[in-house]
């Protein structure tokens, strides 16, 4: 059974950076698309970024384009989310999620939660001065 564990969250000042990691165990991320989602207090969970297994295909929500970069190391079975120029609006619990093995070539970000059956427990990101 695939298990995902997020790490790298914490408290950061506005304008700062964090790098989140999503490490997989129990099974491989080969062939799976991985997405990052976030849920702020009182808000619904939303898609942030996603990346397919091969070819570098990735996508990001408009709110984070130009600031967040998703990447993956298929040898280490890990996906990363580099977050720069953080603002208070980025404060949320961040989750990574993975699809079944599908070898997708494109991943939309919005409205795709149901495509991801495997989820991590989340990591808190707080942007505050």
């Amino acid at each position: 059974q695939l298990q995902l564990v997020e790490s790298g969250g914490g408290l950061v000042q506005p304008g700062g950076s964090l790098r989140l990691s999503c490490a997989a165990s129990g099974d491989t991320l080969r062939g799976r698309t991985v997405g990052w989602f976030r849920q702020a207090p009182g808000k619904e969970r939303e898609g942030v970024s996603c990346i397919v297994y091969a070819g570098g295909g990735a996508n990001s929500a408009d709110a984070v384009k130009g600031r967040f970069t998703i990447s993956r190391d298929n040898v280490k079975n890990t996906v990363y989310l580099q977050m720069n120029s953080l603002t208070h609006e980025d404060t949320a619990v961040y989750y990574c999620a993975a699809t079944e093995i599908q070898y997708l070539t494109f991943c939309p970000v919005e409205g795709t939660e149901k495509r991801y059956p495997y989820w991590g427990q989340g990591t808190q990101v707080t942007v505050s001065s």
Side-chain angles (χ1 to χ4, degrees), residues 104-126:
L104 298 176
T105 58
F106 176 74
C107 60
V109 175
E110 288 81 12
T112 60
E113 284 191 43
K114 292 183 179 180
R115 302 184 184 192
Y116 295 85
Y118 305 100
W119 290 79
Q121 82 290 347
T123 185
Q124 176 71 47
V125 172
T126 302

Side-chain angles (χ1 to χ4, degrees), residues 4-11 18-23 35-41 45 48 79-81 83 90-97 119-127:
L4 303 173
V5 177
E6 302 95 336
S7 62
L11 175 64
L18 283 175
R19 188 176 82 155
L20 305 183
S21 299
C22 173
W36 283 98
F37 296 80
R38 68 185 181 184
Q39 187 166 21
R45 190 156 54 186
V48 176
V79 175
Y80 305 97
L81 185 69
M83 307 187 296
D90 297 316
T91 294
V93 178
Y94 283 72
Y95 301 88
C96 69
W119 290 79
Q121 82 290 347
T123 185
Q124 176 71 47
V125 172
T126 302
V127 184

Side-chain angles (χ1 to χ4, degrees), residues 16-127:
S17 299
L18 283 175
R19 188 176 82 155
L20 305 183
S21 299
C22 173
S25 63
D27 202 347
T28 181
L29 286 179
R30 176 183 293 274
R32 304 181 192 268
T33 295
V34 175
W36 283 98
F37 296 80
R38 68 185 181 184
Q39 187 166 21
K43 295 186 177 181
E44 293 186 354
R45 190 156 54 186
E46 63 177 355
V48 176
S49 291
C50 58
I51 186 166
V52 299
Y53 172 67
N59 205 355
S60 293
D62 288 343
V64 306
K65 280 182 179 177
R67 300 188 299 121
F68 291 11
T69 302
I70 190 170
S71 62
R72 65 190 296 164
D73 185 330
N74 291 329
V75 174
K76 294 183 177 180
N77 232 17
T78 301
V79 175
Y80 305 97
L81 185 69
Q82 178 66 43
M83 307 187 296
N84 299 328
S85 302
L86 287 161
T87 72
H88 294 104
E89 287 69 35
D90 297 316
T91 294
V93 178
Y94 283 72
Y95 301 88
C96 69
T99 66
E100 300 288 2
I101 297 173
Q102 299 171 324
Y103 288 96
L104 298 176
T105 58
F106 176 74
C107 60
V109 175
E110 288 81 12
T112 60
E113 284 191 43
K114 292 183 179 180
R115 302 184 184 192
Y116 295 85
Y118 305 100
W119 290 79
Q121 82 290 347
T123 185
Q124 176 71 47
V125 172
T126 302
V127 184

